Amino acid sequence: MILIGERINAGFKDIANAIRTKDPTAVEKWAVAQAEAGATYLDVNIGAASRDPADMAWLVETVQKAVPTKISVDSTKIEAIEAGLDAIDGRGVLVNSTTADPGKLEKIIPLAVKHEAMLLGLAMDERGSPQNVERRVENGAMVFMAATEAGIPPERIVLDPILMPIKFMQEQVPNVLEAIEQYTHLSDPPPHISVGLSNIGSKTAERGRIVRTFLVMAMARGLDAAILDVCDEETIAAVATAELMLNQEIYSDSYIRAFRIKAGGSA
Ligand code: THG
Protein backbone atom coordinates (compact mmCIF):
# COMPACT_ATOMS: atom_id res chain seq x y z
CA MET A 1 0.00 0.00 0.00
CA ILE A 2 1.27 3.48 -0.87
CA LEU A 3 0.78 5.65 2.24
CA ILE A 4 0.65 9.40 1.61
CA GLY A 5 0.84 11.45 4.82
CA GLU A 6 -1.82 14.20 4.76
CA ARG A 7 -0.65 16.37 7.65
CA ILE A 8 1.53 19.03 5.95
CA ASN A 9 -1.49 20.92 4.69
CA ALA A 10 -2.40 24.55 5.31
CA GLY A 11 -5.91 23.34 6.18
CA PHE A 12 -4.32 22.74 9.58
CA LYS A 13 -3.69 25.92 11.59
CA ASP A 14 -0.13 25.07 12.64
CA ILE A 15 0.93 24.58 9.01
CA ALA A 16 -0.91 27.72 7.83
CA ASN A 17 0.95 29.70 10.53
CA ALA A 18 4.28 28.10 9.60
CA ILE A 19 3.84 29.16 5.97
CA ARG A 20 2.78 32.68 6.93
CA THR A 21 5.71 33.25 9.31
CA LYS A 22 8.21 30.94 7.51
CA ASP A 23 8.85 29.20 10.83
CA PRO A 24 9.84 25.61 9.92
CA THR A 25 9.20 24.06 13.38
CA ALA A 26 5.71 22.58 12.81
CA VAL A 27 6.59 21.42 9.29
CA GLU A 28 9.73 19.63 10.53
CA LYS A 29 7.79 18.06 13.39
CA TRP A 30 5.13 16.57 11.08
CA ALA A 31 7.68 15.55 8.45
CA VAL A 32 9.58 13.50 11.04
CA ALA A 33 6.44 12.08 12.71
CA GLN A 34 4.92 10.94 9.42
CA ALA A 35 8.22 9.52 8.12
CA GLU A 36 8.64 7.53 11.35
CA ALA A 37 5.04 6.28 11.03
CA GLY A 38 5.99 4.77 7.64
CA ALA A 39 4.73 7.30 5.06
CA THR A 40 5.75 6.48 1.48
CA TYR A 41 5.09 10.09 0.40
CA LEU A 42 4.48 13.28 2.35
CA ASP A 43 1.67 15.34 0.86
CA VAL A 44 2.57 19.05 0.83
CA ASN A 45 -0.31 21.52 0.34
CA ILE A 46 -0.17 25.33 0.79
CA GLY A 47 -3.96 25.60 0.92
CA ALA A 48 -6.51 27.61 -0.97
CA ALA A 49 -5.56 30.83 0.84
CA SER A 50 -1.99 31.10 -0.49
CA ARG A 51 -1.61 32.60 -3.92
CA ASP A 52 2.18 32.54 -3.87
CA PRO A 53 3.90 29.58 -5.62
CA ALA A 54 7.06 30.48 -3.62
CA ASP A 55 5.23 29.18 -0.53
CA MET A 56 5.12 25.73 -2.13
CA ALA A 57 8.85 25.87 -2.88
CA TRP A 58 9.53 26.84 0.75
CA LEU A 59 7.36 24.01 2.08
CA VAL A 60 9.03 21.41 -0.17
CA GLU A 61 12.52 22.64 0.78
CA THR A 62 11.66 22.63 4.48
CA VAL A 63 10.40 19.03 4.32
CA GLN A 64 13.47 17.94 2.31
CA LYS A 65 15.82 19.31 4.97
CA ALA A 66 13.99 17.30 7.66
CA VAL A 67 13.52 13.83 6.07
CA PRO A 68 14.50 11.79 2.98
CA THR A 69 10.86 10.78 2.24
CA LYS A 70 9.38 11.27 -1.24
CA ILE A 71 7.01 14.20 -1.68
CA SER A 72 3.48 14.62 -3.05
CA VAL A 73 3.14 18.16 -4.42
CA ASP A 74 -0.56 18.93 -3.81
CA SER A 75 -2.24 21.95 -5.37
CA THR A 76 -5.11 22.87 -7.67
CA LYS A 77 -2.89 25.64 -9.07
CA ILE A 78 -0.52 24.73 -11.89
CA GLU A 79 1.99 27.44 -10.90
CA ALA A 80 2.22 26.05 -7.35
CA ILE A 81 2.77 22.50 -8.65
CA GLU A 82 5.48 23.76 -10.98
CA ALA A 83 7.23 25.66 -8.16
CA GLY A 84 7.05 22.56 -5.94
CA LEU A 85 8.48 20.31 -8.66
CA ASP A 86 11.31 22.74 -9.38
CA ALA A 87 12.26 22.63 -5.68
CA ILE A 88 12.53 18.79 -5.56
CA ASP A 89 16.12 17.70 -4.90
CA GLY A 90 16.06 14.54 -7.06
CA ARG A 91 14.08 12.29 -4.71
CA GLY A 92 10.82 10.73 -5.96
CA VAL A 93 7.84 12.98 -6.42
CA LEU A 94 4.10 12.65 -7.01
CA VAL A 95 2.11 15.32 -8.84
CA ASN A 96 -1.17 15.77 -6.90
CA SER A 97 -3.09 16.43 -9.08
CA THR A 98 -4.62 16.81 -12.49
CA THR A 99 -8.31 16.48 -13.30
CA ALA A 100 -9.81 15.09 -16.52
CA ASP A 101 -10.26 18.65 -17.80
CA PRO A 102 -8.41 18.70 -21.18
CA GLY A 103 -6.97 22.17 -20.48
CA LYS A 104 -5.50 20.89 -17.23
CA LEU A 105 -4.23 17.58 -18.65
CA GLU A 106 -2.45 19.50 -21.38
CA LYS A 107 -0.44 21.49 -18.81
CA ILE A 108 0.09 18.99 -15.97
CA ILE A 109 1.05 15.87 -17.95
CA PRO A 110 4.17 17.50 -19.51
CA LEU A 111 5.26 18.55 -16.00
CA ALA A 112 4.96 14.96 -14.74
CA VAL A 113 6.89 13.71 -17.79
CA LYS A 114 9.64 16.32 -17.38
CA HIS A 115 10.14 15.52 -13.68
CA GLU A 116 9.67 11.72 -14.10
CA ALA A 117 6.98 12.00 -11.46
CA MET A 118 4.07 9.83 -10.42
CA LEU A 119 0.87 11.45 -11.67
CA LEU A 120 -2.34 11.45 -9.65
CA GLY A 121 -5.54 12.13 -11.57
CA LEU A 122 -8.79 13.11 -9.86
CA ALA A 123 -12.03 11.83 -11.43
CA MET A 124 -13.21 15.42 -11.71
CA ASP A 125 -13.83 17.45 -14.86
CA GLU A 126 -14.89 20.96 -15.89
CA ARG A 127 -18.34 20.15 -14.45
CA GLY A 128 -16.94 19.49 -10.98
CA SER A 129 -17.11 16.41 -8.75
CA PRO A 130 -18.61 13.17 -10.13
CA GLN A 131 -21.99 12.10 -8.75
CA ASN A 132 -22.14 8.56 -10.17
CA VAL A 133 -19.97 5.57 -11.11
CA GLU A 134 -20.01 6.30 -14.85
CA ARG A 135 -18.56 9.80 -14.53
CA ARG A 136 -15.87 8.52 -12.16
CA VAL A 137 -14.87 5.77 -14.59
CA GLU A 138 -15.02 8.04 -17.67
CA ASN A 139 -12.89 10.72 -16.03
CA GLY A 140 -10.40 8.22 -14.60
CA ALA A 141 -10.07 6.55 -18.02
CA MET A 142 -9.60 9.97 -19.64
CA VAL A 143 -6.65 10.79 -17.34
CA PHE A 144 -5.27 7.27 -17.79
CA MET A 145 -5.35 7.46 -21.60
CA ALA A 146 -3.88 10.95 -21.80
CA ALA A 147 -1.02 10.00 -19.45
CA THR A 148 -0.37 6.72 -21.27
CA GLU A 149 -0.24 8.50 -24.63
CA ALA A 150 2.40 10.82 -23.18
CA GLY A 151 4.52 7.77 -22.29
CA ILE A 152 3.73 7.50 -18.57
CA PRO A 153 3.44 3.79 -17.67
CA PRO A 154 0.45 2.51 -15.57
CA GLU A 155 2.75 2.00 -12.57
CA ARG A 156 3.32 5.76 -12.46
CA ILE A 157 -0.38 6.67 -12.72
CA VAL A 158 -2.62 7.00 -9.65
CA LEU A 159 -6.39 7.41 -10.07
CA ASP A 160 -8.58 9.00 -7.37
CA PRO A 161 -12.35 8.40 -7.70
CA ILE A 162 -13.18 11.31 -5.29
CA LEU A 163 -14.27 10.21 -1.85
CA MET A 164 -16.77 12.58 -0.23
CA PRO A 165 -18.01 12.92 3.37
CA ILE A 166 -20.40 10.14 4.34
CA LYS A 167 -22.31 12.62 6.45
CA PHE A 168 -23.42 14.65 3.43
CA MET A 169 -23.05 12.26 0.47
CA GLN A 170 -23.72 8.80 1.80
CA GLU A 171 -25.09 7.55 -1.52
CA GLN A 172 -21.69 8.21 -3.17
CA VAL A 173 -19.78 5.70 -1.01
CA PRO A 174 -20.90 2.56 -2.93
CA ASN A 175 -20.19 4.44 -6.18
CA VAL A 176 -16.59 5.06 -5.09
CA LEU A 177 -16.13 1.38 -4.21
CA GLU A 178 -17.49 0.33 -7.62
CA ALA A 179 -15.28 2.84 -9.46
CA ILE A 180 -12.20 1.50 -7.65
CA GLU A 181 -12.95 -1.99 -8.90
CA GLN A 182 -13.51 -0.76 -12.45
CA TYR A 183 -10.16 1.10 -12.45
CA THR A 184 -8.39 -2.23 -11.79
CA HIS A 185 -9.57 -3.41 -15.24
CA LEU A 186 -8.04 -0.48 -17.16
CA SER A 187 -4.73 -2.24 -17.82
CA ASP A 188 -2.47 -5.08 -16.69
CA PRO A 189 -0.69 -4.13 -14.52
CA PRO A 190 -3.40 -1.68 -13.41
CA PRO A 191 -2.79 1.92 -12.38
CA HIS A 192 -2.55 2.67 -8.67
CA ILE A 193 -5.79 3.74 -7.01
CA SER A 194 -5.95 6.25 -4.13
CA VAL A 195 -8.48 8.27 -2.12
CA GLY A 196 -8.30 11.18 0.30
CA LEU A 197 -9.31 8.85 3.13
CA SER A 198 -10.03 11.40 5.88
CA ASN A 199 -12.62 13.08 3.63
CA ILE A 200 -15.16 10.31 4.33
CA GLY A 201 -15.13 10.94 8.07
CA SER A 202 -15.36 14.72 7.89
CA LYS A 203 -17.57 16.21 10.67
CA THR A 204 -18.56 12.77 12.00
CA ALA A 205 -18.57 11.60 15.63
CA GLU A 206 -17.02 8.19 14.79
CA ARG A 207 -14.33 9.32 12.43
CA GLY A 208 -11.75 6.59 13.10
CA ARG A 209 -14.23 3.75 12.70
CA ILE A 210 -15.70 5.23 9.53
CA VAL A 211 -12.28 5.81 7.98
CA ARG A 212 -10.92 2.37 8.88
CA THR A 213 -13.98 0.40 7.81
CA PHE A 214 -14.11 2.15 4.44
CA LEU A 215 -10.37 1.60 4.04
CA VAL A 216 -10.52 -2.19 4.35
CA MET A 217 -13.62 -2.40 2.14
CA ALA A 218 -11.88 -0.32 -0.52
CA MET A 219 -8.67 -2.38 -0.30
CA ALA A 220 -10.79 -5.47 -1.00
CA ARG A 221 -11.96 -3.80 -4.23
CA GLY A 222 -8.45 -2.77 -5.34
CA LEU A 223 -7.42 0.39 -3.47
CA ASP A 224 -3.62 0.32 -3.11
CA ALA A 225 -2.85 3.90 -2.04
CA ALA A 226 -4.35 6.56 0.24
CA ILE A 227 -3.77 10.08 1.47
CA LEU A 228 -4.37 9.60 5.16
CA ASP A 229 -3.45 10.23 8.77
CA VAL A 230 -0.41 7.92 8.88
CA CYS A 231 0.12 8.82 12.54
CA ASP A 232 -3.12 6.99 13.46
CA GLU A 233 -1.79 3.62 14.64
CA GLU A 234 -5.17 1.90 14.39
CA THR A 235 -5.50 2.94 10.74
CA ILE A 236 -2.02 1.65 9.91
CA ALA A 237 -2.82 -1.59 11.75
CA ALA A 238 -5.97 -1.91 9.60
CA VAL A 239 -3.86 -1.50 6.44
CA ALA A 240 -1.37 -4.14 7.62
CA THR A 241 -4.17 -6.54 8.60
CA ALA A 242 -6.05 -6.06 5.31
CA GLU A 243 -2.82 -6.79 3.40
CA LEU A 244 -2.69 -10.15 5.21
CA MET A 245 -6.28 -10.94 4.21
CA LEU A 246 -5.43 -10.13 0.58
CA ASN A 247 -2.42 -12.46 0.86
CA GLN A 248 -0.12 -9.57 -0.04
CA GLU A 249 1.99 -10.20 3.07
CA ILE A 250 2.91 -13.42 4.88
CA TYR A 251 1.35 -13.99 8.30
CA SER A 252 3.47 -13.83 11.41
CA ASP A 253 2.42 -12.97 14.97
CA SER A 254 4.51 -9.81 14.67
CA TYR A 255 3.05 -8.73 11.29
CA ILE A 256 2.26 -5.18 12.52
CA ARG A 257 5.88 -4.64 13.45
CA ALA A 258 7.03 -6.24 10.20
CA PHE A 259 4.74 -3.86 8.27
CA ARG A 260 6.18 -0.82 10.02
CA ILE A 261 9.77 -1.90 9.34
CA LYS A 262 8.98 -2.61 5.68
CA ALA A 263 7.28 0.79 5.35
CA GLY A 264 10.56 2.36 6.49
CA GLY A 265 9.10 3.63 9.74
CA SER A 266 10.57 3.32 13.21
CA ALA A 267 9.56 -0.08 14.59
N1 THG B 1 -7.48 13.52 -3.14
C1 THG B 1 -6.23 13.95 -3.45
N2 THG B 1 -5.59 14.87 -2.74
C2 THG B 1 -6.19 15.45 -1.68
C3 THG B 1 -7.49 15.05 -1.31
C4 THG B 1 -8.13 14.05 -2.08
N3 THG B 1 -5.53 16.39 -0.96
C5 THG B 1 -6.21 17.13 0.08
C6 THG B 1 -7.25 16.24 0.77
N4 THG B 1 -8.08 15.61 -0.20
C7 THG B 1 -6.54 15.17 1.59
N5 THG B 1 -5.92 15.76 2.74
C8 THG B 1 -6.63 16.02 3.90
C9 THG B 1 -5.97 16.70 4.90
C10 THG B 1 -6.61 16.95 6.10
C11 THG B 1 -7.92 16.53 6.29
C12 THG B 1 -8.57 15.87 5.29
C13 THG B 1 -7.94 15.61 4.09
C14 THG B 1 -8.57 16.82 7.58
N6 THG B 1 -8.84 18.10 7.91
C15 THG B 1 -9.49 18.49 9.15
C16 THG B 1 -10.95 18.09 9.16
O1 THG B 1 -11.57 17.99 8.10
O2 THG B 1 -11.46 17.86 10.26
C17 THG B 1 -9.48 19.98 9.29
C18 THG B 1 -8.13 20.51 9.67
C19 THG B 1 -8.05 20.88 11.11
O3 THG B 1 -8.23 20.00 11.97
O4 THG B 1 -7.80 22.06 11.38
O5 THG B 1 -8.89 15.92 8.31
O6 THG B 1 -9.28 13.65 -1.80
N7 THG B 1 -5.63 13.38 -4.50
Side-chain angles (χ1 to χ4, degrees):
M1 186 86 169
I2 297 171
L3 303 174
I4 307 168
E6 72 181 9
R7 191 55 179 76
I8 303 176
N9 185 315
F12 295 96
K13 278 205 183 77
D14 57 349
I15 303 299
N17 286 338
I19 294 168
R20 195 166 39 74
T21 61
K22 299 294 180 295
D23 177 347
T25 316
V27 177
E28 288 162 358
K29 179 184 98 175
W30 285 110
V32 170
Q34 293 183 105
E36 283 181 352
T40 322
Y41 288 87
L42 299 180
D43 195 64
V44 162
N45 186 317
I46 58 175
S50 172
R51 271 152 230 298
D52 190 354
D55 287 344
M56 181 63 96
W58 178 81
L59 208 46
V60 166
E61 283 159 9
T62 305
V63 171
Q64 288 183 151
K65 280 181 209 151
V67 294
T69 314
K70 295 181 280 189
I71 290 175
S72 158
V73 176
D74 184 359
S75 180
T76 55
K77 299 191 185 83
I78 292 160
E79 298 73 23
I81 287 183
E82 200 161 13
L85 288 171
D86 285 337
I88 296 288
D89 61 9
R91 71 184 70 195
V93 62
L94 184 154
V95 173
N96 185 11
S97 54
T98 183
T99 65
D101 178 346
K104 190 124 196 194
L105 286 167
E106 194 178 289
K107 296 196 178 84
I108 300 280
I109 287 176
L111 289 177
V113 170
K114 178 179 162 198
H115 293 269
E116 296 178 42
M118 297 273 284
L119 175 65
L120 189 150
L122 302 175
M124 290 174 45
D125 55 31
E126 316 85 272
R127 293 167 288 190
S129 289
Q131 303 297 332
N132 54 45
V133 176
E134 292 68 28
R135 185 67 57 73
R136 285 183 167 84
V137 173
E138 269 173 39
N139 289 344
M142 172 98 131
V143 172
F144 181 81
M145 286 190 307
T148 303
E149 273 168 30
I152 303 177
E155 300 93 314
R156 269 177 47 206
I157 302 171
V158 187
L159 299 180
D160 181 330
I162 307 290
L163 183 59
M164 301 200 244
I166 193 167
K167 187 163 183 171
F168 307 111
M169 295 215 176
Q170 190 167 1
E171 75 287 354
Q172 292 303 321
V173 178
N175 293 344
V176 171
L177 293 169
E178 179 60 27
I180 289 168
E181 182 158 332
Q182 295 206 25
Y183 289 160
T184 67
H185 302 306
L186 277 170
S187 61
D188 187 12
H192 295 289
I193 306 167
S194 179
V195 292
L197 189 62
S198 296
N199 299 349
I200 194 171
S202 184
K203 309 272 194 304
T204 60
E206 295 283 358
R207 191 163 194 168
R209 287 177 174 140
I210 287 168
V211 159
R212 295 192 282 271
T213 301
F214 175 82
L215 173 71
V216 296
M217 292 176 73
M219 285 177 71
R221 304 289 288 270
L223 190 85
D224 71 342
I227 303 178
L228 77 174
D229 176 3
V230 291
C231 296
D232 184 322
E233 274 189 42
E234 288 300 322
T235 299
I236 299 307
V239 171
T241 309
E243 285 190 351
L244 284 187
M245 305 301 159
L246 294 166
N247 199 26
Q248 292 168 354
E249 294 298 335
I250 294 167
Y251 179 81
S252 75
D253 282 346
S254 55
Y255 73 89
I256 299 282
R257 198 178 126 84
F259 179 91
R260 287 179 63 96
I261 293 167
K262 192 176 169 188
S266 58

